[in-house]
Structure formats: C-alpha cells, structure tokens
Amino acid sequence: MTTRGIRGATTTDGNDANCIYEATSELLVAMQQANDFNVDDLAAALFTVTPDLTAAFPARAARMLGWTTVPLMDSCEIPVEESLAHCIRVLLLWNTDKAQSEIKHSYLKEASKLRPDLKEVKE
C-alpha cells in the first residue's frame, strides 16, 4: 500500500462559519464519492483557506462528518495578489493500492478555474 494525495478545492459565498462548514462538507463528500475511500485509510487531511476566511476552521466540518480519527490541520494560504477569494483547499493523504493516475481530484464552484486541465473538475 502507498500513500497517495487527493486534491480538492471549493469556494464559499462569504466569511461565515456555516458557509465554510457547508462548502467543506460538500467538497469532502464529493472527494470521497469520486475515489470511494474509507476514512480509516486516510493518513491525514491538510486544509488551507485564503486570508479572507477567518470565521471557522474547515477541519471542524470534517469532524462534523465523523472524521474523528483522521489527523487534521488547518492553515492560511499565502496572500498572492489576485488569487481566488473565499477559497478552501484540501490535500487528503490516502493509503491505497491505487496508482496516482487513478486518483480523482475535485474542484467545485469557482475553484474549478484552478485546475481546468483535470478531467474530474466539477462545477
């Protein structure tokens, strides 16, 4: 078994805790459905938010989904000029036998602009 990365991102409607939790939950569910992983096989989840999101930690949304044993970490993105606003990004580290080429990344809402090259981009 190897540890593989699953990437995902989404945006929120604003800097509100409920908006952050809803967007994060939607993203994590989409990533899990796309890759059919068991949460127990996740080594860790790393979340970042753009500097304009200060109302809540995205990791709390994962806990609310029942991800109680997964090590989670939140961080702030570097403030790059003209970057996508209200953006939540996540990197899931997954212990799996799948090849990296089989991993399906999920980019929702406005974050779909970040990786238009991926086949599994979702609006």
Side-chain angles (χ1 to χ4, degrees):
M1 197 171 286
T2 303
T3 301
R4 302 288 185 197
I6 310 173
R7 281 290 320 222
T10 190
T11 54
T12 70
D13 294 329
N15 185 27
D16 172 82
N18 287 330
C19 287
I20 293 169
Y21 298 147
E22 273 185 30
T24 304
S25 295
E26 178 185 31
L27 177 60
L28 295 177
V29 167
M31 294 171 77
Q32 189 168 19
Q33 289 175 344
N35 291 283
D36 193 32
F37 61 78
N38 185 321
V39 173
D40 289 336
D41 292 329
L42 294 178
L46 308 170
F47 297 90
T48 64
V49 294
T50 48
D52 55 1
L53 294 179
T54 59
F57 293 108
R60 183 159 186 237
R63 294 283 183 243
M64 293 163 64
L65 287 175
W67 296 24
T68 58
T69 60
V70 179
L72 307 174
M73 179 173 278
D74 291 297
S75 184
C76 188
E77 286 281 331
I78 59 172
V80 175
E81 290 182 28
E82 299 183 31
S83 65
L84 185 62
H86 296 109
C87 189
I88 301 165
R89 292 173 172 88
V90 64
L91 170 62
L92 301 180
L93 300 177
W94 177 29
N95 297 314
T96 181
D97 290 326
K98 289 189 178 188
Q100 189 68 52
S101 61
E102 296 177 84
I103 304 300
K104 297 175 184 169
H105 307 284
S106 299
Y107 288 79
L108 309 179
K109 302 178 184 173
E110 291 298 308
S112 63
K113 297 173 185 175
L114 297 172
R115 291 297 306 266
D117 57 310
L118 295 177
K119 291 181 183 177
E120 290 299 321
V121 172
K122 300 182 193 287
E123 297 278 342

